[in-house]
Amino acid sequence: MPKRKDINTILVIGAGPIVIGQGCEFDYSGTQAIKALKEEGYRVVLINSNPATIMTDPQFSDKTYIEPISAEYVEAIIKKEKPDAILPTVGGQTALNVAMKLDEEGILKKYNVELIGANRKAIETAESREMFKQAMLEIGLDLPYGYTVKSLDEAKKLLNKISLPAIIRPSFTLGGSGGSVAYNEEEFEASVNKGLKESPTGQVLVEEYLNGWKEYELELIRDLNDNVIIICSIENIDPMGIHTGDSITIAPAMTLSDKEFQLMRNAAIKCIRKIGVDTGGSNVQFAVNPVDGRMVIIEMNPRVSRSSALASKATGFPIAKIAAKLAVGYSLDELKNDITNRTLAAFEPTIDYIVTKLPRFDFEKFSSASGKLGVQMQSVGEAMAIGRTFRESFQKAFRSLELNLPGFETKDPRDEDLDIKRFRELDIKSLNDGSAFRMLKVKEAIKQEFSIEEIHKNTGIDPWFLTEIQEIVNIEKEYSSIENLEFLKKNGFSDLQIARLNNLSENEVQQMRIDQGIKPVYKLVDTCAGEFEAETPYSYSTYESENDLQPLEGKKIMILGGGPNRIGQGIEFDYCCVQAVFGLREAGYKSIMVNCNPETVSTDFDLADRLYFEPITFEDIMNIINFEKPDGVLVQFGGQTPLKIANQLASAGVKIYGTSSDSINLAENREEFAKVIDKLNILTPEYCIAKNYDDIYSYAETANFPVLVRPSFVLGGRAMQIVYSKEQLVDYVFRSAEATNDHPILIDQFIENAFEFDVDALCDGEEVFIGGIMQHIEEAGVHSGDSSCVIPPYEVSDAVKKEIETITAKLALELKVVGLINLQFAVKDDKVYVLEVNPRSSRTVPFVSKYSNVPLANIAAQISVGKSLNDFKLKENNFEHYAVKKAVLPFKKFKDEKVFLGPEMKSTGEVMGIDMSTGSAFLKAMKSDGYNVPKQGTAFLSVNKTDRAGLVPIAKNLMGLGFNLVATKGTCRFLNEQGILCDDMFKVGEGRPNVVDEILNDNIQLVINTPEGPQSRFDEEAIGKTSVMKNILTITTLPGARAAIDSMKHLNKISVKALQEYFK
Amino acid sequence: MQKLKKAILFLEDGLFFIGKSLGKSGETFGEVCFNTGMTGYQEILTDPSYSNQMIAMSSPHIGNYGTNNSDTESERVYATGFIIKSESIQPSNWRSEESLSSFLIKHNIVGIQDIDTRALTIHIRKKGAMRGIISTEDFDVHNLASKIKNIPKMEGQDLAIKVARKKKVVLSNTDNPIYKIAAIDFGMKSNIYDIMLEHDAEVEIFPANVSHDEILASNPDGVFLSNGPGDPAAVTYGIETVKNLLGKKPIFGICLGHQILALALGANTFKMKFGHRGINQPVKNLITNKVEITSQNHGFAVDEDSLPSNVTVTHKHLNDDTVAGISCNDISAYSVQYHPEASPGPHDSRYVFKEFFNMMKNDAKT
Ligand SMILES: Nc1ncnc2c1ncn2[C@@H]1O[C@H](COP(=O)(O)OP(=O)(O)O)[C@@H](O)[C@H]1O
Ligand SMILES: Nc1ncnc2c1ncn2[C@@H]1O[C@H](COP(=O)(O)OP(=O)(O)O)[C@@H](O)[C@H]1O
Ligand SMILES: [Mg+2]
Ligand SMILES: [Mg+2]
C-alpha cells in the first residue's frame, strides 16, 4: 500500500530524560523516525522534555515542544496543533504509557487523533504481563510456569504453587524496573510489594526462576500487509536472571542450530501477529534450557527498544526509520534498503561478522550499590564492537569501554580496579553473581585452570564462549611472542597488550607492525554479507586480506565521538558531535565519524559521510588516519574521551583542528593553569597541588577548611570530596588517593554558600561570543552536572555578570581557544572565582543552544576549520523567556544511596523547562522530572542555622499558599519567635511518630531540608530516602526552595509553546 | 590451539587464498559458490543439489552447534569442498553429537578455513561462480592452473542422474494414506518427503530416468519433481517424461524440478552469474501480494520471456525480479524455484505444499 494521504500532521512522543534503562537509543530512533516522516512530506510535531537530544533540534520537526511528557501537556499540544495521528512507538516506555493514558482519558477520541504504529490493544496485550501470558498460551507458546497477581495476599497464595526462588516482574515497566528475584518468603513479600508499587497498573508476574537458562532476543518488523521479517538475532552471554541491558550480548546468535532458530523465528512471528502490532519494530525475548532445548517466551516489547537500536547498528538495517514509514502505510516491499540501494527493505539481513555489546557500569559512583547484576538494569551505557571473529570483536569491545582496558585484560596493576584486584585470590563461587567485570574474572579462572565445565556451572555462560576465552588465554600463554605479531592482531590483541606481553612500548609495537606491513583492512556493514554491492559508508576494521572501501575523496575531517555513555559523559556530547558534522558540511568539508556507542545518532549510517564503528583509542584512531589521511581531526566535541588521546595524536603529527592540544593541557594542568590565572589576575579559590604527602601535611596546617580534594584529570567530579578538618583531609588522602608527580592531588578552598555559574562561549582566537550564562539553583558544591540551573541568571548584579563575561573573554583568548570553551564560576559577596575551565564542548551546550537558538557546536566546528565569528553575525541574546535545566538522578535505582548532592556527579540525564517566567519554567522542569509539585498541604521544614534567616520569607510564602508548616524543634522555635505559625515534629530517634513516619503516612507533601554540614546527617538521609520513594518533592537548598515556591504560583495553568515560536 | 595443515584455494581466474586445512586433507575441486546463511551448514552439506560444488559460507563461525543425526538431508555429503572463515573448536548445543571437522573427515570432505571468505564472496559476486581447487598437497599455482582446466563446467552437465536413487523406493507412515505421490528423484532432499509423509501421503520415489508409462502405471494422485544439481537443460529424459505427464496428473516441482517443468512447457533456462544461495531471500507471491522469506539454492533460472502464454508467473524474486514460481492456467501443474521445505531456512512457504494436496483432492473428484 502507498503512504496514507488522509493524515498530514503527526505528533511524535519522545522518551524524556536519560535514565537507567532508557538511554539515548531513543534519541537515535526518534531522530530517524522524524527524518523519515519529514521525507514523506508530513508535518511533524515533537514533544520531548530532554534538551540534550538531537531530535529536539528545531531544524528536525515543524514544531518542537520541550514540555513535560504527561497527558495534560500532550493534550494541550494536541489542542493547539491538531495532529491527525500520534506515533508512540519510538519514545520508549514513556511514550507508550502516555499514549495509553491519552486513550484511557478519552483524549484521543475527543480530538479524534489515532495512534499509528501500535494501537492500545496491542500495547496493553504486550505490556500487561497477564494479558501477554494469556495471548501466548492461546497461540500455543510455552512460558515459564507462573501467575500474575494484583495484591500481596494473592501472591502469598502462590507460594504453595511456585517454589522459590521465584522472579517478580511488574507490568508496563522497562529496564527491569521493580523486578527482582526472591529466594525466601521474606524477600518474596518485599519483591512483590516493590513490583506492585513500580507497576503503573499495580500488577506483577510471579514466575519460576529459570536459573542458568540461555537468553535470546529477536528483533522483528511487521507491515500492514502482515509481512514479517527478522532483522537480527541476539544471544546473551550472561544467562537469564541478568537483564539483557546488563548482559554481554552477541549478534548473530552463536549456538542455535537452524532447526532451533527457525522454531524461535516462527514463535516470534506468531507472537507479533497475536499481539497485533500492526506496523513497526518489536523485540521478543526467549529463554532456552541448555540441557534439553526447551524454549519459553519471556516478553515482547511492541516498540523500538535498546535492542532494536543495537540490531540496527549491528546489521545496518535502520529499524526505526523503516518502522516510521510502515506506520504511515507503506509495505516492506515498497521501501528500499538504503544500504545496498538496489534491493528492498523486504528481506532478512544476514551478516558476516560478529558484534559484541558490553554494558558500561558506574558503580564507583554509588558507594551503596552492591555491584551485583540482576533482573533490574543498572548499566548506564554500552559499547559495541564489530570484528570478523568473536575474539577480535570481543577484545575490541573491551577496548571501547573507556576504562583504560587495553583489550580483554585487566588494567596494569598500578591503577587496577578493586573488583579486578580481588581475582588475585579467586574463589570460583565469586563467579556465581554477574558483576561489571565478571568476564575478566572468568578469564582469571581459566588462567588458574578451573575447568570449562566448572566455570559453566558457576556462571551459566555457554561453553562455546568459555572455550573462545580459553583460546585467548592460551594465545597469551603460548603465542604471545612478537614473532606472532600478525597472528596476535588477527585475534584482536591491541598493540598495548602485545607491548605488555613482550615488554615493549606501544609505539615500538606499532612501528614493527608498520615495518612488516601488518595493518587492518576495512570491511563494510552491508546487511547482505557481500551478496550485493553496498553503497553504505559504514565500516569496521579487521586483520584480513582485502579492503572493501577506498579512502574518502575530497576535503575531509575526522570527528572523534564520546564512546559509551557514563555518568558525567552523556548524550550531550553526542549531540555536539552530530552538530559538528552539520557544521563541517556547511563549511564544505566531508566528515568521518568514529565512535563505538550503538545508542547514538552519531553512529547512524547516513549521518556522517563515513562512519567507522571503532574504539576511541590511539591505535584504532591512528589506523584509520593512516588509511583515510584526513586533513585533520576534531577532538573537542566528544567530551573527555577524545581529549585523553589528543596529545598522543598531536605528537604523532596529526593535525588537531580547533583549540590545540597544548591549550587543552594548559587548562587541564592545574599548575600551568594557575600561572595563567595569576598572569590575568583572576580570582580562584586558594589551592594546593600535592605531589606527595608532605605537601598535604604542610598545607593542612594553614588551610582554612572546608576544602575540596580531588585527583587530577577527572570528569564528572569523580572521587571528589569536601573535607571539613585536617584529620578528615589526611584520612581521605590515605584511603582514596595517592599523591605523585604525574598524579597530584588537588586541594581547593571550598567556597561555602556561593552561587555557581556555568558559561559556554565561542572563540575564534580573536573574538569571543558568550553563548549563555547559567546560574545554578543549588549552591556551589553541588556538581554542575547535578544542580539545576537557570538561563538567563535570576539573582545576579550587572557588575558580577560583566565580570563573568570579562573573565571568560580573557581566558578564552589567553588559552587561544578556537571553538568552544566552558567555565564554572563561584560567586560570593560579589567576588567571582573561577572553578574550572574546559576548552571543549560541554554538557550544557545543547541546553544553551535550545534556549538561544544558536547552534554553538555547529558554529564551533566551522570556526575550528577556519571560519571567524564575524561570519555568523551572532547577536548577544536578550530574550523574554527563561529556561531551567534540572538534573535527573538515579536514586530510585540505587535505593540505599545518599540523596544529598555533592561535588560527585550522580545524575544520568536532564530535563528542560522553558517558559516566560523562571517560576513556570522551573515548574515544567520539575514535572518533566516526574515530581508532583503540591498545591497545598503540609510542608516539613528543617534548616541549618545559617539558613534560618533566609527561611522566614519562604515560610511566609508557603503559608500564603495555604500550607500548614511543621518543623524540627530548632527550626520550629525560631519560626515561632518570628511569629510564624508552626508545629514541631520528632526527628528520627527523638520519638514517634517522627517525620519519616509522617511522610510514609502521606501526611507531608513538601520537604525543605538543608544539610546540617557533615555531622547529624543520618536523620536527613532517612528523610531523603523516604521522600524519594514516596516521590515527595524534597528541596535541600534555600534557593531551590524559593524557586519551587515561585513555581507553585503557576500550578493552575498549563501553557505550551514550541521552540520555533520563541524565536519568531 | 591445534596445529592445522596449510591449505590453498585456487580459482580458475588465477586468484588464490592460502589458509588452513579443514576436515580431510588432500585435494578436491568443484564450482565455487557462496551461501549467506548464518545457520544450517549441516543441511547444506548434505543437500544433493550441491554436488560438484564447493560451498563458501559467508558466516565467519561455522561448526558452533556441531552436527547430529537428524539435521541431515541425505545419507552423505554432496558438496565436494567446504570453505569457511573459522571452525569452532568446541561445538556447543544440546543436540550436538559430533564436531564439524570429524563429520567432514567421516565423509571424506576436503575443506579450507582461515581465509578472507568475504573477499572470496565479493570476488565471486563480481566475476561469477567459477571452478576451483582446494589442496593441502599441491601449492604450485602452475600445476593447479593446468589441473583446473580439466574440471568440467556446470553448463551442460547432467548431475541429477548421478545423485538420484537408482531404484524406486516407497515410503509411508500410515496404513491408509490419503494421497499417493510419485516423486521423480533428481536429488531429492529428505525434508521434502518428510513433509509429504506428515500429511499422510504415500511417496513413491522413482529414479531420475523413470519413464512416464512406469509412473502412470502406478497411478499416483500427483507427480512431484524434486530439486537437484546441475544444468536442467541437460536432463533431457526428465523433460521428456514430464512433457508426457502434463495434463494427465497434477504436477508440482521444486528448484530443479521447477526448471524441468518450465522446460517441458517449452520455456528456456539460463545460468545465473552467481545464483541465489541463502535463507534470507525475499520472494513476492504475485497472487496474494505477500512477501515470503525463502530458502534458496540455485545457479540456473527460468527465462520469463520464454514462458508460453498458458503459464502464469506466480512468484517473483524481489532482489532481481527473476521467476520464483509458475503455474499453468489450463492444466494442474505448478512449481517454485525456491525451497518451501526449508531445512535450512524459514518456514514461510510451507503453504506451497498445501496447494499440491488440494490439487490432488480436486483432481480426484473430477
Ligand atoms: N522466569 C525468569 N527466570 C529468570 N530470569 C528471568 C525470568 N524472566 C525474566 N528474567 C530476566 O529478567 C530480565 C528482565 O525481564 P523483562 O521481562 O525483559 O523486563 P523488561 O520488560 O524490563 O525488559 C530478563 O532480561 C531476564 O534476564
Ligand atoms: N573551590 C570550590 N568551592 C566550591 N565548590 C566547588 C569548588 N570547586 C569545585 N566546586 C564544586 O564541585 C563541582 C565539580 O567541580 P569541577 O571542577 O567542575 O569538576 P568536573 O571536572 O567534574 O566538572 C563544581 O561544579 C562545583 O559545584
Ligand atoms: Mg519490557
Ligand atoms: Mg526485556
Side-chain angles (χ1 to χ4, degrees), chain A residues 93 127 129 173-176 243 283 285 299-301 303:
Chain A
Q93 202 69 35
E127 294 289 337
R129 305 277 185 193
T173 60
L174 96 176
H243 194 280
N283 150 274
Q285 283 161 243
E299 75 151 351
M300 96 90 84
N301 295 303
R303 49 168 173 84

Side-chain angles (χ1 to χ4, degrees), chain B residues 285-354:
Chain B
N285 178 325
L286 302 176
I287 313 302
T288 63
N289 273 323
K290 286 184 84 181
V291 177
E292 49 204 270
I293 303 299
T294 69
S295 173
Q296 300 198 15
N297 162 27
H298 60 108
F300 291 82
V302 172
D303 170 7
E304 180 167 12
D305 305 335
S306 70
L307 283 166
S309 57
N310 63 331
V311 177
T312 310
V313 173
T314 55
H315 297 76
K316 276 217 163 182
H317 197 292
L318 276 178
N319 285 344
D320 60 8
D321 247 22
T322 51
V323 177
I326 58 171
S327 167
C328 295
N329 311 340
D330 44 5
I331 57 170
S332 11
Y334 77 107
S335 61
V336 289
Q337 177 63 76
Y338 53 95
H339 289 269
E341 81 282 6
S343 191
H347 300 173
D348 296 9
S349 313
R350 285 287 164 88
Y351 73 91
V352 172
F353 282 90
K354 295 217 175 59

Side-chain angles (χ1 to χ4, degrees), chain B residues 24 26 30 51 57 64 75 127 145 155 157 183 245 269 277 296 305 320 341:
Chain B
K24 200 164 147 293
S51 75
M57 300 300 292
N64 312 12
E75 302 68 44
K127 299 281 172 59
E155 290 93 328
Q157 269 203 79
L245 291 169
T269 55
R277 291 177 189 84
Q296 300 198 15
D305 305 335
D320 60 8
E341 81 282 6

Side-chain angles (χ1 to χ4, degrees), chain A residues 469-745:
Chain A
I469 290 167
Q470 189 173 41
E471 284 300 296
I472 294 179
V473 172
N474 292 344
I475 292 170
E476 281 178 12
K477 268 214 224 87
E478 299 159 35
Y479 296 83
S480 61
S481 140
I482 196 74
E483 270 70 65
N484 308 320
L485 189 48
E486 180 160 25
F487 175 75
L488 288 163
K489 296 310 283 183
K490 279 181 183 293
N491 281 278
F493 286 84
S494 68
D495 288 355
L496 247 172
Q497 278 172 295
I498 298 171
R500 281 190 198 157
L501 290 167
N502 292 277
N503 299 316
L504 298 162
S505 76
E506 180 178 18
N507 291 0
E508 285 168 323
V509 175
Q510 187 193 36
Q511 196 49 52
M512 292 181 183
R513 271 204 300 114
I514 293 166
D515 298 344
Q516 298 174 41
I518 302 171
K519 49 181 197 289
V521 296
Y522 293 93
K523 302 266 188 201
L524 289 180
V525 170
D526 65 3
T527 71
C528 59
E531 184 176 3
F532 304 99
E533 191 179 346
E535 283 162 19
T536 164
Y538 177 8
S539 78
Y540 65 95
S541 73
T542 182
Y543 282 82
E544 265 190 334
S545 60
E546 201 171 286
N547 266 309
D548 281 4
L549 76 174
Q550 295 306 313
L552 202 55
E553 313 237 306
K555 286 165 37 177
K556 51 185 172 180
I557 290 178
M558 185 167 177
I559 301 170
L560 301 190
N565 285 4
R566 58 267 191 199
I567 286 169
Q569 164 101 27
I571 181 176
E572 301 84 357
F573 296 101
D574 199 65
Y575 166 93
C576 292
C577 290
V578 173
Q579 287 293 335
V581 171
F582 299 155
L584 288 180
R585 202 160 283 154
E586 285 170 44
Y589 283 89
K590 288 184 177 167
S591 54
I592 298 170
M593 176 66 65
V594 189
N595 201 359
C596 55
N597 179 347
E599 308 175 313
T600 55
V601 177
S602 67
T603 52
D604 200 350
F605 71 91
D606 65 358
L607 179 80
D609 296 281
R610 187 163 282 180
L611 166 65
Y612 287 89
F613 213 103
E614 291 285 299
I616 316 287
T617 71
F618 176 64
E619 173 184 353
D620 297 285
I621 298 301
M622 275 319 287
N623 284 339
I624 303 171
I625 289 175
N626 291 332
F627 175 71
E628 277 285 355
K629 308 239 171 357
D631 297 276
V633 179
L634 289 176
V635 296
Q636 57 175 281
F637 297 95
Q640 204 72 358
T641 308
L643 292 191
K644 76 177 195 290
I645 57 169
N647 292 333
Q648 266 176 300
L649 292 176
S651 43
V654 176
K655 168 126 180 63
I656 307 268
Y657 276 97
T659 312
S660 74
S661 57
D662 297 348
S663 304
I664 296 167
N665 297 339
L666 192 54
E668 291 272 3
N669 176 321
R670 275 305 279 279
E671 227 158 10
E672 295 305 311
F673 185 62
K675 298 202 186 98
V676 179
I677 292 287
D678 297 342
K679 177 172 162 215
L680 304 173
N681 54 54
I682 294 169
L683 270 183
T684 50
E686 281 171 32
Y687 67 94
C688 153
I689 299 160
K691 296 186 167 164
N692 52 52
Y693 293 126
D694 301 345
D695 292 353
I696 292 167
Y697 298 131
S698 46
Y699 174 79
E701 296 308 322
T702 59
N704 52 18
F705 289 90
V707 298
L708 186 84
V709 206
R710 67 179 123 163
S712 41
F713 275 92
V714 289
L715 184 82
R718 187 170 159 195
M720 250 189 249
Q721 205 174 52
I722 304 169
V723 299
Y724 292 79
S725 71
K726 206 164 103 187
E727 296 66 30
Q728 269 191 336
L729 175 58
V730 173
D731 175 64
Y732 167 88
V733 170
F734 272 122
R735 264 191 301 98
S736 42
E738 66 180 319
T740 66
N741 281 337
D742 35 0
H743 296 270
I745 293 177

